Amino acid sequence: MTMKTFLISCDVHLKKISLALCVFLPFFQLRGRAIADLSILFIAISFLLYCTFEKHYRCLLHGWFPCALGLWGVIVVSSILNGSTHAVLEAIALLRYFVFVKALEEWLLDSAQKQHLLGLSVTLAGVWIICQCWEQYLLGVNLWGYPRWQDGALTGPFFQPRAGPPLAIIMFPGLMIYPMRMVQKKELARKLAGLALMSFLLLTMVMIGQRMPALLVFFGFFLCAMLVKTTRVTVLLATLSGVVALGLLPFISPPSYNKLILRFFEQLGHFSQSPYGQLYMRALNMVHAHPLLGLGYNGFRIHCGETAYLYGIPQFTSMIAGQDIGAGCTIHPHNTYLEIATTAGLSGLFLFVWMVLLWLKKLLQAALAGRDLMQAMLFITACMLFWPLASTSSLFTERTAGWVFLMVGWGLARARLAGSARAPQTGA
């Protein structure tokens, strides 16, 4: 066996294993996050080996990837200047997520059949979350015997209230894609069935009782109506049914009503004194003190308890006066853009925003040019993921990063595939 034949054989086997890991990744995200993280790492390393074997380096030098490398470099430098050895190693390891996205785009999801397998896996993961949420609502406990959380949120297949964020991410490419296709048919029965399914999905998000995922899904429905004209009336009717469900919450799920409605308006009315307001002001004070490079990986968590960051921006002084210093401290600032700013400063934030804009531009162009319904669903998901006015989990924890970068990579791979062969015309 020649060296070239050996390298080709290695590439083929690595690609098969990587595809299997990618297809099962949604299930690992739900149960087995350590396996999910190792899967992402394996795919990233396999792609770099492919680039080495095939001398395929050009894809790493154009498009969004240089922005990702720049952001990663800023995080590493900032961690060296401000953090511990552990923080530096964690910062270096962040590169796997960006390489993972590039691997999906350029190498792994290079056919419609492979993307269909991933789509089916995402759908099954979404169905599993929904089934567990309704089991918990109707029977009082989920499959493992866990009741709904103390604040009223349905936890689905989890112990803690974590069903909302992954279901919101799965919602459009994994679940909404089916009723969207149904309402595009001419038969009235199919249209009504599609409307019923859309309404059920939105009702489920409302019943879960997590504010930000529910708001983002409503936002996604709005984008869906704007982007896909042929389904606009049906999507608006489904949205109206979701609003009706909100009005009925005091009767059908009082705990969800207390958290989703009452606490939401209570926090908005006193936002600066709420935990979220305190977190955001603390993060902004950190950025004010370290505007160029931030505080490195995990910098917010490590330094938020220091009195140096309690005050900083004069306009916040009256809002913070008398507050416990611990009120603005937790493991992350609960906003993706503030997390990047505290981690990598304004320079890193600029690179991150530029990278996200390049992603969104490519996804939107593909959705409009190819009239591909799935591409539109992935674009809507990306808009939800990177909506700046949202309370979020930490971007660089595997629970969040696995979903975010999987969806981005899938969307970019589909856009790339559509560039060479137009996807089916579906009226987007």
Side-chain angles (χ1 to χ4, degrees):
M1 179 183 293
T2 65
M3 179 58 69
K4 184 176 182 180
T5 306
F6 173 74
L7 294 178
I8 292 174
S9 176
C10 286
D11 179 51
V12 170
H13 287 91
L14 286 175
K15 194 169 186 177
K16 288 181 178 179
I17 297 172
S18 295
L19 179 61
L21 292 175
C22 182
V23 169
F24 282 101
L25 187 59
F27 301 107
F28 295 146
Q29 284 291 127
L30 298 180
R31 307 291 293 187
R33 290 181 290 113
I35 301 175
D37 205 2
L38 289 173
S39 299
I40 290 171
L41 180 62
F42 182 89
I43 293 170
I45 292 175
S46 298
F47 174 65
L48 292 178
L49 289 174
Y50 159 76
C51 291
T52 302
F53 295 160
E54 301 293 332
K55 296 181 172 57
H56 185 68
Y57 305 114
R58 289 189 61 190
C59 66
L60 305 177
L61 302 176
H62 64 83
W64 61 269
F65 199 73
C67 292
L69 288 179
L71 172 61
W72 173 68
V74 173
I75 294 174
V76 171
V77 171
S78 181
S79 300
I80 292 173
L81 296 176
N82 299 288
S84 62
T85 302
H86 177 75
V88 174
L89 293 176
E90 290 277 12
I92 293 172
L94 291 180
L95 182 62
R96 69 191 185 278
Y97 292 123
F98 302 120
V99 177
F100 170 70
V101 174
K102 201 64 178 174
L104 298 187
E105 179 186 11
E106 297 278 344
W107 175 61
L108 194 56
L109 300 178
D110 57 355
S111 71
Q113 292 80 8
K114 294 175 182 178
Q115 294 187 19
H116 178 72
L117 285 175
L118 176 59
L120 180 60
S121 177
V122 170
T123 297
L124 292 176
V127 170
W128 173 243
I129 294 175
I130 289 176
C131 289
Q132 285 300 290
C133 286
W134 281 103
E135 179 181 343
Q136 194 175 52
Y137 172 72
L138 296 172
L139 303 181
V141 294
N142 63 13
L143 185 64
W144 290 274
Y146 297 134
R148 65 196 307 164
W149 199 242
Q150 302 94 291
D151 62 4
L154 295 174
T155 67
F158 308 104
F159 167 67
Q160 294 178 318
R162 290 173 177 161
L167 185 58
I169 295 171
I170 290 170
M171 179 65 70
F172 289 89
L175 300 170
M176 270 288 287
I177 185 70
Y178 299 105
M180 291 287 285
R181 287 170 177 163
M182 293 166 69
V183 301
Q184 289 183 329
K185 303 298 182 181
K186 293 182 179 180
E187 298 87 349
L188 179 60
R190 291 229 182 157
K191 290 181 180 291
L192 292 176
L195 172 60
L197 184 51
M198 287 184 191
S199 302
F200 172 73
L201 293 174
L202 197 51
L203 172 64
T204 302
M205 284 303 308
V206 170
M207 295 293 289
I208 287 174
Q210 289 187 265
R211 294 182 296 270
M212 191 51 61
L215 284 171
L216 288 174
V217 168
F218 272 102
F219 173 58
F221 268 66
F222 168 76
L223 291 177
C224 208
M226 295 294 294
L227 190 61
V228 189
K229 296 179 181 180
T230 55
T231 64
R232 185 168 294 169
V233 174
T234 310
V235 171
L236 290 176
L237 288 174
T239 305
L240 181 61
S241 72
V243 174
V244 172
L246 285 173
L248 294 176
L249 270 185
F251 308 100
I252 60 178
S253 183
S256 298
Y257 174 73
N258 290 334
K259 183 175 182 182
L260 205 61
I261 305 297
L262 297 182
R263 286 197 61 193
F264 176 72
F265 284 105
E266 178 186 346
Q267 289 188 338
L268 280 184
H270 305 87
F271 185 73
S272 64
Q273 303 302 314
S274 71
Y276 290 105
Q278 294 292 311
L279 280 171
Y280 296 161
M281 287 187 286
R282 188 66 55 85
L284 289 170
N285 283 336
M286 289 182 173
V287 178
H288 182 264
H290 301 273
L292 184 60
L293 296 176
L295 289 164
Y297 183 84
N298 232 2
F300 182 87
R301 180 178 186 175
I302 296 169
H303 299 287
C304 72
E306 298 175 9
T307 55
Y309 307 115
L310 185 59
Y311 301 100
I313 300 177
Q315 289 80 357
F316 295 157
T317 302
S318 60
M319 304 177 189
I320 297 175
Q323 291 290 317
D324 179 10
I325 191 172
C329 280
T330 185
I331 57 177
H332 58 87
H334 283 70
N335 178 273
T336 298
Y337 296 88
L338 284 178
E339 181 181 5
I340 295 296
T342 55
T343 301
L346 297 180
S347 57
L349 181 62
F350 172 80
L351 291 168
F352 178 75
V353 170
W354 189 249
M355 177 180 69
V356 169
L357 289 176
L358 290 175
W359 285 344
L360 293 176
K361 178 184 177 183
K362 190 168 185 178
L363 295 179
L364 180 59
Q365 286 178 336
L368 296 177
R371 296 176 179 264
D372 179 14
L373 189 57
M374 179 60 84
Q375 189 75 65
M377 298 297 98
L378 290 166
F379 169 73
I380 291 168
T381 301
C383 289
M384 293 164 56
L385 290 172
F386 298 109
W387 180 246
L389 302 178
S391 170
T392 63
S393 299
S394 176
L395 177 62
F396 294 124
T397 57
E398 204 287 322
R399 180 181 290 110
T400 303
W403 287 116
V404 170
F405 294 111
L406 175 64
M407 292 298 163
V408 172
W410 182 11
L412 294 175
R414 193 169 187 88
R416 186 172 185 270
L417 188 63
S420 54
R422 284 292 180 90
Q425 302 292 303
T426 53

